[in-house]
Amino acid sequence: MPCSPPSYLFIIVTGVLLVLVHSQTSLDEDFISIDCGLPSGFSYVDEKTNITYISDDQYIDTGENHNISSQLQGAEQFRSGLNLRSFPTGGRNCYTLYPAIKGQKYLIRGMFMHGNYDNKGQDLVSSPVTFDIRIGLNFWNRLNIINATMTYTSEAIVVAIVNSVSVCLVDNGEGTPFISSLEMRPMKSSNYPAATPNHPLLLQDRRSMGASRIIRYPDDPYDRVWWLPQITSGLIKISTRSLISRYTDDVYEVPVAVLKTAATTSSTSTALNFLWAAPTGWDATPGYLIGLHFTDFQQGQLREFDIYYNNDLWNYDNKKTKPPYLLANYINGTTPYTSDNYLYNISLVATNASVLPPMLNAIEIYYQVQQDEKMTYSEDVEAMMTVKIDYQVKKNWMGDPCLPEKYTWSGLKCRSQGVTSRIISLDLSSSDLQGAISEQFSMLRSLEYLNLSNNDLTGSLPESLTNLPNIHVLDLSGNQLNGTFPEALCKNRALTLRYDTANGDPCSPRSSKKKHKAVLAVAVVVPVVIVVILISAMLMLLFWKKQAIVKSRGQEQYGDHIHIPENREFTYEELVKITNNFSVFIGEGGFGPVFHGQLKDGTQLAVKMRSPTSMSGKGMPEFLAEVESLTTVHHRYLVLLVGYCTDQDHLGLVYEYMPNGSLYDHLRGKNAIIQRLSWQHRAKIAHEAAQGLDYLHTGCVLPIVHRDVKSHNILLGCDLTAKISDFGLSKSYLNVAQSHITATAAGTLGYIDPEYCLSGRLTISSDVFSFGVVLLEIVTGEPPIIPTNGHIVQRIKEKVNMGNIEAIADPRLHGEFDISSIWKVVDIALLCTKEASSERPTMSMVVAQLKDALALEEARLSYSTSDISQGGANAELSINSMPTAR
Ligand SMILES: *[C@@H]1O[C@H](CO)[C@@H](O)[C@H](O)[C@H]1NC(C)=O
Ligand SMILES: *[C@@H]1O[C@H](CO)[C@@H](O)[C@H](O)[C@H]1NC(C)=O
Ligand SMILES: *[C@@H]1O[C@H](CO)[C@@H](O)[C@H](O)[C@H]1NC(C)=O
Ligand SMILES: *[C@@H]1O[C@H](CO)[C@@H](O)[C@H](O)[C@H]1NC(C)=O
Ligand SMILES: *[C@@H]1O[C@H](CO)[C@@H](O)[C@H](O)[C@H]1NC(C)=O
Ligand SMILES: *[C@@H]1O[C@H](CO)[C@@H](O)[C@H](O)[C@H]1NC(C)=O
Ligand SMILES: *[C@@H]1O[C@H](CO)[C@@H](O)[C@H](O)[C@H]1NC(C)=O
Ligand SMILES: *[C@@H]1O[C@H](CO)[C@@H](O)[C@H](O)[C@H]1NC(C)=O
């Protein structure tokens, strides 16, 4: 035995709160479900799960489609097994699963059903098809296909390192790799804590011991597949119809359908055994992690047993196991464990005192992958994946861009730097690239050579490309670019720059402002008369140009009719007109004073003004780039940035007008409370604001971190529709703008992610933290920090621990709310405000929970006379789901 019992101590869950297990929110809109080999463009809804499967054509460019043999149709376990994609050539072939969220935990599953697609099914017994599958660069599994009618399944829990996950099939020279389906399901970061970015968990086995059917989605919100036990002799199935509760910090969230069944044995003298073998050829080093799931269905008689792992006593603290009554509990090993002979045996043996035989609801067996190889620098991978997806690059680009060296992407050169590899050269000449030049190229910070020649690239060159520190060669010839190039690029003597001059020289434009300045500088040394003449000529020219520009705006005219300019850039004169010479001051925002404005057509606007002198010249281009990109971010729960003004010495941001002020005004504002917010209002505002934030995090090409989520920045429109404001600008202006309000460099006291203080980096999960604080503010109506009373998270936790949920709610609500609805909001808020960012949920999970909370309150209002705990689909979510303190 490699280990003695104490070295594989295990954990029995000890939670803080209990909740009744209810059918969890469906997340299937975030599922990626690919039926490999389905003809291009086809999709269908699977009858067993109601999940929509789509063809794999947009995820992979290589391989061949096949149907399984018609004789074997019907033998396949899942409909996706009817067809497959095989890879006779190429060595390594990869699927790029996107979009994924960097840092999010996912369950990934591949299924493999041979089905005699190539008429060689008979040969499998004597010469099996063997190939490897890898996630990114990590070994995932070795498939050893010996049975043409069997569905082989491989599952893993991974944390996405970039905004996509690549799954590669590697040909080992022992038959043609193939795959039938590939699925990706988001999980909470708190699920399966042993799965970390460097250590994916690979599933060896998962069984629901007493079930009579395979359980997966929709019973399991994460669509884990709970298989039936292979050996059933000696097992007796038992089940319950009672409700089952679980601790709120249960990291496994085993579905109700699984917990309501279990296996037991005929008598206390018969042990319950579970056996498995490690795959032949490797010993699953560093070993297996086991999770045993227990819930007893009876209370009257003693059920007590010892657990043996490969014949060693495996009891925690030498305690016997007594499954709790109607409560989900688990025992999980903390140290991976290997056996010498590839054989493993878990055995539950009743104690002498036990009246009832041992029982087991479910078992999960994982092994933890050690990241063995180097990886390409994650920002480089992310940029390349985005370029590949955005431009639909038709190259054999698969898996990690640089590694292994044998499979480095064509057109790329990499250099290894310590434990990572970085891209130094990228040749995308003649690659059919269309559209604007992607900002992603500027994320490749080590790039020395970039050849984009002979494509159909249009538009102007992004300013950000100027910032690549090591760029030596930039070839842009043979495209349809227009506009001028950034001066810094044209003047970079270390750079070989190639471009077309057919439409004028982008490096020495004929009539730019900069040139006028140069002319002026020369004029200083010539006689005064000439200076005067020149200056007047210049002024006339400038005036004429401005008129010309204004006229050229097409339908937008200067004068009485003010419309939103197409390029979203307002002149200062336009702002003067819009705001009636800044006559209606509506408040002081983070950016400066805010004025009411109105367009000719009656559209109301909020105009935020600021003098640019306080902003260093260095920040300006960055600020402009940000503003320009933000005008393209549209969502119904985000305050629209209509345009901006950088005319003369004035800096202005023009926003959609929000007539009902901020959430802060309503909850805690100095001005009289405009309208008392009911719990329904509050739950609706929370749900809408969460959707706005979720969109910032996931709806754009790159996630936008808000950086200053607080109740002041949630504005209310007509019907109290909530919208998030002041997002995305933080990098360049928050620093200056906030120095005059009670805020730190980024974020506002009380709302700041504590992890930011350690890492100095604000991420989307910092926004999640701040949003959690806002949720608590919504529930309590209290400020985040009460000087003598500490932070809201601590205050709430204390009340929750005392079991005093009702005392948490804002007294102004006068008890008019559904208590489970309040609880749901508090529950998610406490998850959002977890100290470790990895334990916080994503905004999409927050949105789902808030949706439930709102639904509960609306149900209360529509059935306010009947007791909702008495029935309906929501019975399990009723008053009884009130957490009890422990
Ligand atoms: C699938 O959807 C249909 C219609 O909405 C419903 O009747 C059926 O019960 C669903 N099946 C599953 C497995 O959820
Ligand atoms: C597989 O079968 C479907 C429907 O029977 C058919 O449309 C498709 O062309 C077949 N695919 C191949 C690769 O033979
Ligand atoms: C192949 O798998 C099928 C279905 O799982 C099973 O019924 C059959 O016995 C297996 N055949 C062999 C030769 O193992
Ligand atoms: C086992 O469960 C505990 C409590 O939920 C958790 O903290 C621990 O990380 C888990 N261990 C493994 C190896 O997953
Ligand atoms: C599994 O363990 C139990 C108890 O330690 C033992 O009685 C049984 O023989 C073992 N089975 C195998 C196949 O090793
Ligand atoms: C249980 O009973 C058996 C036989 O009666 C005895 O040998 C054994 O020591 C007992 N075990 C304990 C832990 O009491
Ligand atoms: C860019 O690629 C084209 C086509 O391969 C090649 O002709 C050209 O010389 C390259 N440019 C540079 C600067 O290397
Ligand atoms: C430059 O090209 C873009 C995209 O083709 C076009 O929208 C824009 O109007 C052009 N600008 C100029 C000044 O020609």
Side-chain angles (χ1 to χ4, degrees):
M1 277 300 155
C3 304
S4 56
S7 70
Y8 41 88
L9 276 182
F10 54 127
I11 295 285
I12 299 175
V13 61
T14 50
V16 185
L17 297 160
L18 291 180
V19 285
L20 276 182
V21 177
H22 50 75
S23 46
Q24 282 112 323
T25 318
S26 115
L27 289 167
D28 73 305
E29 60 206 57
D30 299 327
F31 286 6
I32 294 179
S33 310
I34 301 170
D35 185 341
C36 308
L38 195 66
S40 173
F42 276 65
S43 70
Y44 61 85
V45 176
D46 183 83
E47 284 161 17
K48 288 182 186 156
T49 56
N50 279 354
I51 294 172
T52 303
Y53 284 78
I54 59 173
S55 153
D56 57 355
D57 59 340
Q58 55 173 307
Y59 298 96
I60 196 155
D61 310 314
T62 53
E64 301 171 351
N65 287 357
H66 292 281
N67 289 333
I68 64 170
S69 108
S70 52
Q71 288 91 5
L72 290 181
Q73 292 182 7
E76 86 290 345
Q77 219 155 1
F78 300 99
R79 174 163 170 191
S80 55
L82 282 174
N83 35 251
L84 55 92
R85 191 182 283 261
S86 75
F87 301 95
T89 60
R92 180 177 76 154
N93 289 275
C94 307
Y95 283 83
T96 303
L97 302 178
Y98 68 91
I101 299 167
K102 188 173 169 177
Q104 163 112 36
K105 205 166 270 185
Y106 291 95
L107 178 128
I108 310 247
R109 178 168 50 233
M111 293 209 186
F112 309 83
M113 162 78 184
H114 186 283
N116 199 21
Y117 77 93
D118 55 358
N119 292 321
K120 291 182 189 155
Q122 296 302 319
D123 309 341
L124 287 175
V125 184
S126 52
S127 58
V129 169
T130 303
F131 56 92
D132 287 354
I133 49 174
R134 305 180 76 94
I135 290 186
L137 283 179
N138 289 310
F139 176 78
W140 176 6
N141 207 346
R142 176 160 298 165
L143 272 303
N144 188 36
I145 313 285
I146 56 169
N147 183 338
T149 62
M150 197 159 116
T151 302
Y152 293 79
T153 304
S154 205
E155 227 182 80
I157 295 174
V158 304
V159 176
I161 295 166
V162 296
N163 285 334
S164 61
V165 174
S166 68
V167 171
C168 300
L169 287 83
V170 181
D171 193 336
N172 292 336
E174 296 169 69
T176 302
F178 66 90
I179 185 164
S180 306
S181 72
L182 201 47
E183 299 165 306
M184 177 155 99
R185 298 12 184 147
M187 303 193 94
K188 287 187 201 148
S189 52
S190 52
N191 295 146
Y192 296 92
T196 61
N198 291 336
H199 300 296
L201 283 186
L202 308 185
L203 183 72
Q204 162 75 26
D205 208 350
R206 181 191 299 116
R207 306 276 168 181
S208 174
M209 298 303 290
S212 44
R213 62 181 169 96
I214 293 175
I215 290 167
R216 57 180 293 188
Y217 188 84
D219 289 306
D220 187 323
Y222 305 112
D223 194 25
R224 287 165 291 191
V225 178
W226 298 84
W227 304 92
L228 302 178
Q230 264 173 320
I231 303 160
T232 51
S233 64
L235 293 185
I236 294 168
K237 289 181 190 172
I238 53 174
S239 64
T240 183
R241 301 179 66 171
S242 309
L243 297 182
I244 291 171
S245 18
R246 74 163 115 249
Y247 298 111
T248 50
D249 58 355
D250 184 328
V251 297
Y252 296 104
E253 296 183 59
V254 176
V256 194
V258 170
L259 292 173
K260 286 189 171 181
T261 64
T264 180
T265 59
S266 55
S267 73
T268 49
S269 56
T270 313
L272 198 160
N273 296 327
F274 190 89
L275 312 171
W276 73 96
T280 36
W282 96 91
D283 56 0
T285 309
Y288 287 109
L289 287 170
I290 314 290
L292 300 173
H293 301 285
F294 299 107
T295 296
D296 208 339
F297 309 147
Q298 61 76 44
Q299 223 174 353
Q301 292 174 298
L302 180 68
R303 189 195 305 278
E304 187 186 68
F305 47 87
D306 290 313
I307 302 176
Y308 292 86
Y309 193 172
N310 279 14
N311 301 337
D312 279 344
L313 189 61
W314 202 55
N315 288 0
Y316 172 66
D317 266 359
N318 283 326
K319 281 202 203 93
K320 325 259 174 217
T321 303
K322 285 184 215 147
Y325 175 58
L326 297 180
L327 168 64
N329 208 341
Y330 50 82
I331 290 178
N332 63 353
T334 53
T335 313
Y337 175 81
T338 54
S339 122
D340 291 338
N341 58 2
Y342 306 121
L343 294 177
Y344 295 82
N345 178 4
I346 290 272
S347 191
L348 313 184
V349 183
T351 62
N352 283 355
S354 186
V355 181
L356 296 170
M359 74 180 290
L360 177 62
N361 302 65
I363 180 166
E364 289 181 279
I365 304 161
Y366 284 92
Y367 55 95
Q368 199 178 35
V369 174
Q370 304 300 301
Q371 186 155 324
D372 42 353
E373 289 171 74
K374 302 199 294 192
M375 300 250 333
T376 298
Y377 194 67
S378 70
E379 266 93 87
D380 284 11
V381 180
E382 194 167 326
M384 288 312 298
M385 289 294 183
T386 312
V387 164
K388 171 183 148 105
I389 292 162
D390 286 357
Y391 288 114
Q392 300 278 305
V393 177
K394 293 174 197 71
K395 286 184 192 285
N396 203 15
W397 277 6
M398 293 181 296
D400 187 285
C402 296
L403 298 164
E405 265 169 50
K406 186 175 151 196
Y407 294 117
T408 298
W409 290 6
S410 55
L412 243 63
K413 286 200 186 109
C414 303
R415 181 183 294 147
S416 88
Q417 290 182 352
V419 292
T420 65
S421 232
R422 300 228 39 179
I423 296 166
I424 55 161
S425 159
L426 174 58
D427 183 355
L428 274 170
S429 59
S430 311
S431 301
D432 268 335
L433 309 189
Q434 292 177 359
I437 295 184
S438 170
E439 299 265 355
Q440 294 295 326
F441 294 119
S442 60
M443 310 303 268
L444 303 168
R445 303 302 295 170
S446 296
L447 206 59
E448 296 168 9
Y449 174 99
L450 177 60
N451 192 340
L452 297 173
S453 65
N454 303 315
N455 287 298
D456 289 320
L457 295 167
T458 54
S460 57
L461 190 66
E463 182 99 26
S464 56
L465 272 186
T466 324
N467 304 331
L468 284 173
N470 301 321
I471 189 90
H472 291 322
V473 179
L474 179 56
D475 192 340
L476 301 165
S477 53
N479 287 295
Q480 314 296 319
L481 300 178
N482 63 20
T484 58
F485 289 172
E487 203 172 282
L489 204 67
C490 295
K491 292 202 169 154
N492 185 346
R493 285 159 162 268
L495 175 70
T496 308
L497 182 62
R498 289 207 194 145
Y499 52 87
D500 305 319
T501 50
N503 302 323
D505 186 345
C507 267
S508 53
R510 257 164 288 146
S511 57
S512 79
K513 268 188 190 164
K514 280 164 193 138
K515 194 157 183 193
H516 295 308
K517 275 183 202 147
V519 172
L520 267 176
V522 173
V524 174
V525 296
V526 302
V528 174
V529 179
I530 300 178
V531 172
V532 170
I533 293 172
L534 252 181
I535 290 178
S536 4
M538 286 288 314
L539 287 176
M540 280 174 69
L541 180 68
L542 276 179
F543 181 72
W544 173 83
K545 255 200 76 197
K546 180 157 280 165
Q547 293 293 324
I549 288 171
V550 168
K551 284 202 180 109
S552 74
R553 280 180 188 164
Q555 100 239 40
E556 283 100 29
Q557 291 161 12
Y558 193 51
D560 285 337
H561 310 270
I562 292 168
H563 295 274
I564 298 170
E566 231 163 6
N567 61 2
R568 310 212 166 265
E569 192 169 352
F570 290 87
T571 64
Y572 184 62
E573 287 85 335
E574 282 170 333
L575 291 193
V576 169
K577 290 217 181 266
I578 288 173
T579 58
N580 194 12
N581 203 13
F582 303 105
S583 56
V584 185
F585 173 80
I586 49 180
E588 187 77 27
F591 187 68
V594 188
F595 300 93
H596 181 263
Q598 190 158 14
L599 292 181
K600 192 82 198 332
D601 65 4
T603 308
Q604 302 198 70
L605 299 170
V607 179
K608 305 192 175 184
M609 295 304 299
R610 176 159 192 85
S611 151
T613 48
S614 59
M615 197 142 75
S616 67
K618 235 181 160 188
M620 265 312 270
E622 205 185 341
F623 170 77
L624 285 181
E626 274 179 30
V627 169
E628 252 166 283
S629 70
L630 289 176
T631 58
T632 63
V633 180
H634 292 200
H635 188 266
R636 58 200 282 216
Y637 301 125
L638 293 177
V639 175
L640 181 67
L641 177 58
V642 174
Y644 56 96
C645 164
T646 54
D647 209 19
Q648 295 169 22
D649 280 338
H650 301 95
L651 209 52
L653 293 178
V654 182
Y655 284 95
E656 155 187 25
Y657 178 64
M658 300 292 286
N660 274 317
S662 71
L663 175 62
Y664 173 85
D665 295 335
H666 288 258
L667 289 178
R668 310 191 274 113
K670 269 197 205 120
N671 306 332
I673 292 161
I674 306 163
Q675 193 178 344
R676 192 168 62 88
L677 292 181
S678 68
W679 177 245
Q680 188 196 13
H681 283 136
R682 296 184 196 203
K684 182 169 162 283
I685 288 167
H687 180 230
E688 289 169 350
Q691 289 180 75
L693 203 50
D694 181 38
Y695 183 82
L696 284 181
H697 290 177
T698 60
C700 309
V701 179
L702 288 175
I704 297 176
V705 181
H706 187 298
R707 288 163 178 250
D708 197 17
V709 175
K710 54 182 172 181
S711 53
H712 308 66
N713 283 338
I714 295 173
L715 302 187
L716 303 177
C718 304
D719 307 332
L720 295 179
T721 304
K723 299 192 184 202
I724 302 267
S725 83
D726 271 347
F727 49 86
L729 276 173
S730 6
K731 259 179 277 165
S732 45
Y733 93 92
L734 265 190
N735 302 344
V736 259
Q738 287 195 332
S739 51
H740 67 103
I741 57 171
T742 39
T744 63
T748 302
L749 269 178
Y751 297 88
I752 306 172
D753 173 6
E755 229 178 50
Y756 165 68
C757 306
L758 297 175
S759 69
R761 276 190 63 222
L762 281 178
T763 62
I764 54 177
S765 95
S766 314
D767 283 352
V768 173
F769 181 91
S770 310
F771 190 75
V773 174
V774 171
L775 289 178
L776 295 178
E777 215 179 323
I778 289 178
V779 170
T780 60
E782 291 175 7
I785 293 180
I786 300 178
T788 53
N789 218 345
H791 192 268
I792 195 161
V793 175
Q794 259 51 57
R795 302 201 304 267
I796 296 281
K797 272 190 188 158
E798 276 161 28
K799 287 183 184 164
V800 168
N801 287 343
M802 292 183 327
N804 206 352
I805 296 289
E806 249 144 315
I808 291 172
D810 188 340
R812 290 173 294 177
L813 293 171
H814 301 300
E816 287 165 18
F817 47 74
D818 178 280
I819 184 76
S820 339
S821 171
I822 294 252
W823 168 245
K824 272 195 172 281
V825 176
V826 172
D827 183 35
I828 194 77
L830 291 179
L831 289 177
C832 289
T833 50
K834 286 256 185 183
E835 214 144 292
S837 60
S838 61
E839 290 173 14
R840 297 176 202 150
T842 63
M843 278 313 295
S844 51
M845 297 167 184
V846 178
V847 169
Q849 177 112 341
L850 292 175
K851 186 178 169 193
D852 289 352
L854 178 59
L856 284 171
E857 175 63 4
E858 284 173 346
R860 179 186 74 92
L861 292 169
S862 51
Y863 304 109
S864 52
T865 51
S866 69
D867 178 2
I868 66 157
S869 70
Q870 290 306 302
N874 277 336
E876 287 177 322
L877 290 174
S878 71
I879 304 269
N880 298 332
S881 70
M882 256 286 298
T884 52
R886 292 164 35 88

